[in-house]
Amino acid sequence: MVRYANIVRKLGALGGLCIFLSACGGNSEPELLNLQRGSTPDEFGILPTGPIEEPADYASLPPPNPGGTNRVDPRPEADVAQALGGRGGAAVSPAGDRALLAAAGRFGIDPNIRPELAAADLAFRRDNRGRPLERLFNLNIYFRAYADQALDQHAELDRFRAAGIPTPAPPPDPR
Protein backbone atom coordinates (compact mmCIF):
# COMPACT_ATOMS: atom_id res chain seq x y z
CA MET A 1 0.00 0.00 0.00
CA VAL A 2 2.85 2.40 0.86
CA ARG A 3 4.54 1.51 -2.40
CA TYR A 4 1.45 2.53 -4.43
CA ALA A 5 1.20 5.81 -2.51
CA ASN A 6 4.82 6.63 -3.46
CA ILE A 7 4.09 5.82 -7.12
CA VAL A 8 0.95 8.02 -7.08
CA ARG A 9 2.93 10.89 -5.49
CA LYS A 10 5.70 10.57 -8.07
CA LEU A 11 3.19 10.47 -10.95
CA GLY A 12 1.40 13.53 -9.54
CA ALA A 13 4.69 15.42 -9.23
CA LEU A 14 5.65 14.39 -12.77
CA GLY A 15 2.26 15.55 -14.09
CA GLY A 16 2.59 18.89 -12.28
CA LEU A 17 6.10 19.33 -13.71
CA CYS A 18 4.81 18.61 -17.22
CA ILE A 19 2.05 21.21 -16.83
CA PHE A 20 4.55 23.76 -15.50
CA LEU A 21 7.03 23.12 -18.33
CA SER A 22 4.29 23.33 -20.96
CA ALA A 23 4.02 27.05 -20.16
CA CYS A 24 7.68 27.49 -21.14
CA GLY A 25 7.29 26.18 -24.67
CA GLY A 26 4.90 27.18 -27.34
CA ASN A 27 4.67 29.76 -30.03
CA SER A 28 7.82 30.56 -31.97
CA GLU A 29 6.59 34.15 -32.39
CA PRO A 30 5.68 35.51 -28.97
CA GLU A 31 2.63 37.73 -28.76
CA LEU A 32 2.86 40.38 -26.08
CA LEU A 33 -0.61 41.78 -26.67
CA ASN A 34 -3.44 39.31 -26.13
CA LEU A 35 -6.42 40.83 -27.88
CA GLN A 36 -8.83 38.07 -26.87
CA ARG A 37 -8.57 38.97 -23.17
CA GLY A 38 -9.03 42.71 -23.70
CA SER A 39 -12.14 44.38 -22.35
CA THR A 40 -12.34 47.14 -24.94
CA PRO A 41 -13.73 46.70 -28.45
CA ASP A 42 -11.73 47.45 -31.55
CA GLU A 43 -13.17 50.76 -32.72
CA PHE A 44 -11.69 50.32 -36.18
CA GLY A 45 -13.25 46.88 -36.65
CA ILE A 46 -16.74 48.35 -37.05
CA LEU A 47 -17.48 49.77 -40.46
CA PRO A 48 -20.69 51.76 -40.79
CA THR A 49 -21.48 50.88 -44.40
CA GLY A 50 -24.90 51.15 -45.93
CA PRO A 51 -27.28 48.22 -46.01
CA ILE A 52 -26.75 45.60 -48.68
CA GLU A 53 -29.45 45.70 -51.32
CA GLU A 54 -30.54 42.81 -53.47
CA PRO A 55 -31.07 43.90 -57.07
CA ALA A 56 -34.31 43.10 -58.83
CA ASP A 57 -32.39 41.51 -61.68
CA TYR A 58 -28.86 40.11 -61.34
CA ALA A 59 -28.23 40.67 -65.05
CA SER A 60 -28.50 44.42 -64.47
CA LEU A 61 -25.52 44.46 -62.09
CA PRO A 62 -22.50 46.39 -63.33
CA PRO A 63 -19.32 44.44 -64.04
CA PRO A 64 -16.76 44.22 -61.21
CA ASN A 65 -14.58 47.32 -60.97
CA PRO A 66 -11.46 46.55 -58.88
CA GLY A 67 -10.26 49.75 -57.24
CA GLY A 68 -13.40 51.60 -58.29
CA THR A 69 -16.38 52.73 -56.27
CA ASN A 70 -18.68 50.44 -54.38
CA ARG A 71 -22.46 50.78 -54.66
CA VAL A 72 -22.85 50.40 -50.89
CA ASP A 73 -19.89 52.57 -49.84
CA PRO A 74 -19.08 54.95 -52.72
CA ARG A 75 -16.77 57.37 -50.79
CA PRO A 76 -14.85 55.39 -48.14
CA GLU A 77 -11.86 57.78 -47.93
CA ALA A 78 -14.06 60.85 -47.56
CA ASP A 79 -16.19 59.07 -44.93
CA VAL A 80 -13.07 58.20 -42.93
CA ALA A 81 -11.76 61.77 -43.18
CA GLN A 82 -15.09 63.12 -41.97
CA ALA A 83 -15.28 60.59 -39.12
CA LEU A 84 -11.81 61.64 -37.95
CA GLY A 85 -12.76 65.31 -37.91
CA GLY A 86 -11.61 66.33 -41.38
CA ARG A 87 -13.50 67.63 -44.35
CA GLY A 88 -15.79 64.96 -45.76
CA GLY A 89 -15.76 66.44 -49.26
CA ALA A 90 -11.98 66.23 -49.55
CA ALA A 91 -10.81 63.02 -51.12
CA VAL A 92 -7.36 61.51 -50.81
CA SER A 93 -5.49 62.39 -53.97
CA PRO A 94 -2.64 60.39 -55.45
CA ALA A 95 -0.74 63.68 -55.87
CA GLY A 96 -0.99 64.26 -52.11
CA ASP A 97 0.28 60.74 -51.53
CA ARG A 98 3.27 61.40 -53.78
CA ALA A 99 4.06 64.59 -51.90
CA LEU A 100 3.85 62.76 -48.58
CA LEU A 101 6.10 59.96 -49.82
CA ALA A 102 8.61 62.48 -51.19
CA ALA A 103 8.71 64.32 -47.85
CA ALA A 104 9.06 61.07 -45.89
CA GLY A 105 11.88 59.81 -48.11
CA ARG A 106 13.81 63.07 -48.45
CA PHE A 107 16.81 61.66 -46.52
CA GLY A 108 16.85 58.42 -48.48
CA ILE A 109 14.94 55.16 -48.37
CA ASP A 110 16.31 51.88 -47.09
CA PRO A 111 14.71 49.10 -49.18
CA ASN A 112 15.42 46.54 -46.44
CA ILE A 113 13.73 48.48 -43.63
CA ARG A 114 10.73 46.15 -43.30
CA PRO A 115 12.73 42.92 -42.87
CA GLU A 116 15.15 44.68 -40.49
CA LEU A 117 12.34 46.05 -38.33
CA ALA A 118 10.52 42.69 -38.37
CA ALA A 119 13.67 40.90 -37.19
CA ALA A 120 14.33 43.50 -34.47
CA ASP A 121 10.71 43.31 -33.29
CA LEU A 122 10.79 39.51 -33.18
CA ALA A 123 14.02 39.59 -31.14
CA PHE A 124 12.47 42.14 -28.75
CA ARG A 125 9.33 40.03 -28.31
CA ARG A 126 11.39 36.90 -27.67
CA ASP A 127 13.40 38.74 -25.00
CA ASN A 128 10.21 40.03 -23.32
CA ARG A 129 7.91 37.01 -23.45
CA GLY A 130 6.78 37.26 -19.86
CA ARG A 131 7.07 35.00 -16.87
CA PRO A 132 6.02 31.32 -17.07
CA LEU A 133 2.68 31.85 -15.32
CA GLU A 134 1.92 34.87 -17.52
CA ARG A 135 2.50 32.70 -20.58
CA LEU A 136 0.52 29.82 -19.06
CA PHE A 137 -2.53 32.02 -18.44
CA ASN A 138 -1.99 34.04 -21.64
CA LEU A 139 -1.82 37.38 -19.82
CA ASN A 140 -1.30 40.68 -21.55
CA ILE A 141 2.28 41.94 -20.98
CA TYR A 142 2.43 44.44 -23.83
CA PHE A 143 2.42 47.61 -21.72
CA ARG A 144 5.05 46.34 -19.28
CA ALA A 145 7.33 45.16 -22.11
CA TYR A 146 7.16 48.49 -23.93
CA ALA A 147 7.14 50.72 -20.81
CA ASP A 148 10.69 51.97 -21.49
CA GLN A 149 9.63 53.11 -24.96
CA ALA A 150 6.36 54.77 -23.89
CA LEU A 151 5.94 58.53 -24.11
CA ASP A 152 4.78 60.33 -20.96
CA GLN A 153 2.20 62.61 -22.54
CA HIS A 154 1.87 64.88 -19.52
CA ALA A 155 5.63 65.42 -19.22
CA GLU A 156 5.76 66.24 -22.95
CA LEU A 157 2.85 68.64 -22.54
CA ASP A 158 4.69 70.41 -19.72
CA ARG A 159 7.84 70.58 -21.88
CA PHE A 160 5.94 72.03 -24.86
CA ARG A 161 4.20 74.60 -22.70
CA ALA A 162 7.50 75.63 -21.10
CA ALA A 163 8.92 76.15 -24.60
CA GLY A 164 5.94 78.35 -25.50
CA ILE A 165 4.39 75.95 -27.99
CA PRO A 166 0.59 76.24 -28.01
CA THR A 167 -1.04 72.94 -27.04
CA PRO A 168 -4.66 71.77 -26.94
CA ALA A 169 -6.34 70.83 -23.68
CA PRO A 170 -4.96 67.49 -22.49
CA PRO A 171 -6.86 64.57 -20.98
CA PRO A 172 -6.99 64.52 -17.17
CA ASP A 173 -3.73 63.60 -15.45
CA PRO A 174 -4.09 60.16 -13.79
CA ARG A 175 -1.31 60.95 -11.30
Side-chain angles (χ1 to χ4, degrees):
M1 192 64 161
V2 173
R3 181 176 160 161
Y4 290 118
N6 286 338
I7 292 174
V8 169
R9 261 190 244 126
K10 288 178 183 177
L11 286 176
L14 182 62
L17 182 64
C18 288
I19 291 173
F20 180 74
L21 289 177
S22 68
C24 297
N27 196 353
S28 62
E29 283 201 32
E31 295 182 17
L32 305 180
L33 184 61
N34 182 2
L35 297 177
Q36 286 79 25
R37 294 185 61 91
S39 60
T40 59
D42 180 12
E43 61 272 10
F44 294 107
I46 301 169
L47 299 175
T49 58
I52 297 176
E53 301 169 356
E54 183 176 357
D57 181 21
Y58 286 102
S60 67
L61 287 175
N65 185 9
T69 60
N70 182 338
R71 290 179 56 196
V72 176
D73 193 13
R75 320 172 317 135
E77 289 89 3
D79 292 342
V80 168
Q82 188 173 10
L84 294 174
R87 292 178 297 154
V92 176
S93 69
D97 290 347
R98 283 193 296 273
L100 175 66
L101 290 173
R106 66 189 177 275
F107 297 119
I109 298 171
D110 183 6
N112 295 326
I113 190 66
R114 288 180 188 254
E116 287 176 17
L117 289 177
D121 181 58
L122 180 60
F124 180 82
R125 287 183 288 135
R126 283 190 176 144
D127 292 342
N128 295 285
R129 289 180 55 203
R131 299 177 188 115
L133 288 178
E134 290 170 336
R135 292 195 309 265
L136 177 67
F137 292 108
N138 205 16
L139 295 179
N140 192 355
I141 60 164
Y142 177 86
F143 297 104
R144 191 185 74 224
Y146 288 101
D148 293 342
Q149 300 175 22
L151 177 68
D152 182 358
Q153 62 183 349
H154 296 286
E156 286 299 304
L157 180 69
D158 294 340
R159 186 174 70 86
F160 283 161
R161 286 185 174 168
I165 300 172
T167 56
D173 190 354
R175 293 182 243 172

